[in-house]
Amino acid sequence: MKFEDLIYEIRNGVAWIIINRPDKMNAFRGTTCDELIKALYKAGYDKDVGCIVLAGAGDRAFCTGGDQSAHDGNYDGRGTVGLPMEELHTAIRDVPKPVIARVQGYAIGGGNVLATICDLTICSEKAIFGQVGPKMGSVDPGYGTAFLARVVGEKKAREIWYMCRRYSGKEAEAMGLANLCVPHEELDAEVQKWGEELCERSPTAIAIAKRSFNMDTAHQAGIAGMGMYALKLYYDTEESREGVKALQEKRKPEFRKYAK
């Protein structure tokens, strides 16, 4: 299976799925999402794989969400909003293998959501987490909001979304958004160590445990599905488009001018 936007490697039983768009801060376009879904299921049902690592190429970013250069009221792929986000999020949760987010830099917007959804997150001291949706005319209705509250608590999740602040790797570890924060130069070795340790566990026991954890929040898929339709309607408004325009024009957005 050949990929355009990804690097797919097996390292001693650990599948590394690396978003290979460092020039775009590993932001995803339609092709990226489709390939991530294929790669996740490929690794998820490969009996020789015991763990999956989701990573970003280069040192600057894990993933910074949707590629704004491919966004003009809609993205460049399929799905409700032009990206198959519901399917991508479902793939991470549905594959019967643990998925580790390896965060070496920016995990912003949709990238922060991916790190949140992964079973485990290991980050570097250079990692930066955060949301930008309300600053950009967007939001993640579903796992990015409701599930985040399960991970870091209701008050902190609301702070992350409402205030759009940045959080260090150590802060992410303290709030429970990351399992472990390590020195930058030790990140890959630590991630691989966790992955190989997971490969030694009973795959059936891990799969059952993962399904059991997921059952408690399975209803959030419905929230996400309905929310994406609301998001599509929102993207068609001048209020939402103002975020992209302001970014392109390098100015502060004036959302209230268009709010109804």
Side-chain angles (χ1 to χ4, degrees):
M1 189 178 292
K2 293 183 179 180
F3 298 107
E4 183 179 351
D5 287 5
L6 306 181
I7 297 171
Y8 184 94
E9 300 176 345
I10 306 295
R11 305 179 188 177
N12 196 26
V14 181
W16 283 66
I17 299 172
I18 305 166
I19 302 173
N20 190 28
R21 306 188 78 220
D23 58 319
K24 297 289 187 181
M25 299 284 279
N26 295 319
F28 46 71
R29 56 179 177 166
T31 299
T32 319
C33 292
D34 283 332
E35 290 185 351
L36 282 170
I37 293 165
K38 291 176 183 177
L40 283 161
Y41 283 122
K42 174 182 171 67
Y45 293 96
D46 182 342
K47 292 183 179 180
D48 294 326
V49 169
C51 176
I52 300 168
V53 172
L54 182 59
D59 273 344
R60 294 183 68 199
F62 164 68
C63 176
T64 54
D67 185 353
Q68 295 299 319
S69 66
H71 177 46
D72 183 16
N74 206 339
Y75 289 98
D76 68 334
R78 60 189 178 83
T80 308
V81 296
L83 291 173
M85 297 314 303
E86 303 101 303
E87 291 179 49
L88 176 54
H89 295 167
T90 296
I92 294 171
R93 285 171 60 88
D94 277 5
V95 290
K97 311 284 173 66
V99 182
I100 300 174
R102 172 256 193 199
V103 181
Q104 86 289 19
Y106 288 100
I108 300 294
N112 189 73
V113 175
L114 294 182
T116 301
I117 297 173
C118 286
D119 297 275
L120 303 165
T121 297
I122 302 175
C123 70
S124 152
E125 289 177 341
K126 293 184 179 181
I128 299 173
F129 297 80
Q131 281 301 336
V132 294
K135 291 176 67 175
M136 291 297 301
S138 184
V139 69
D140 187 282
Y143 291 121
T145 44
F147 186 67
L148 179 65
R150 290 293 187 97
V151 175
V152 303
E154 185 84 16
K155 293 289 186 180
K156 199 67 179 179
R158 288 173 186 259
E159 174 193 313
I160 289 169
W161 272 100
Y162 296 172
M163 305 305 293
C164 299
R165 291 172 176 163
R166 304 288 175 86
Y167 303 88
S168 69
K170 284 295 184 184
E171 287 175 311
E173 181 184 37
M175 74 174 80
L177 186 56
N179 296 85
L180 182 67
C181 179
V182 299
H184 188 72
E185 63 275 10
E186 297 176 14
L187 180 61
D188 282 0
E190 190 66 33
V191 170
Q192 183 67 23
K193 177 184 174 182
W194 281 52
E196 290 181 9
E197 192 170 339
L198 286 166
C199 288
E200 297 174 357
R201 304 292 179 259
S202 163
T204 302
I206 292 289
I208 293 172
K210 180 165 180 172
R211 291 285 183 180
S212 182
F213 284 124
N214 288 350
M215 283 177 68
D216 184 49
T217 52
H219 65 283
Q220 292 178 355
I223 298 172
M226 179 62 74
M228 285 296 169
Y229 276 96
L231 191 60
K232 173 64 171 72
L233 296 174
Y234 175 47
Y235 280 164
D236 288 337
T237 67
E238 288 302 317
E239 181 183 343
S240 175
R241 293 192 179 106
E242 169 65 7
V244 178
K245 288 179 184 176
L247 178 67
Q248 294 170 342
E249 296 170 8
K250 298 180 180 179
R251 59 174 173 82
K252 286 187 177 182
E254 299 179 54
F255 292 118
R256 292 195 176 276
K257 183 167 69 173
Y258 301 102
K260 295 180 179 180

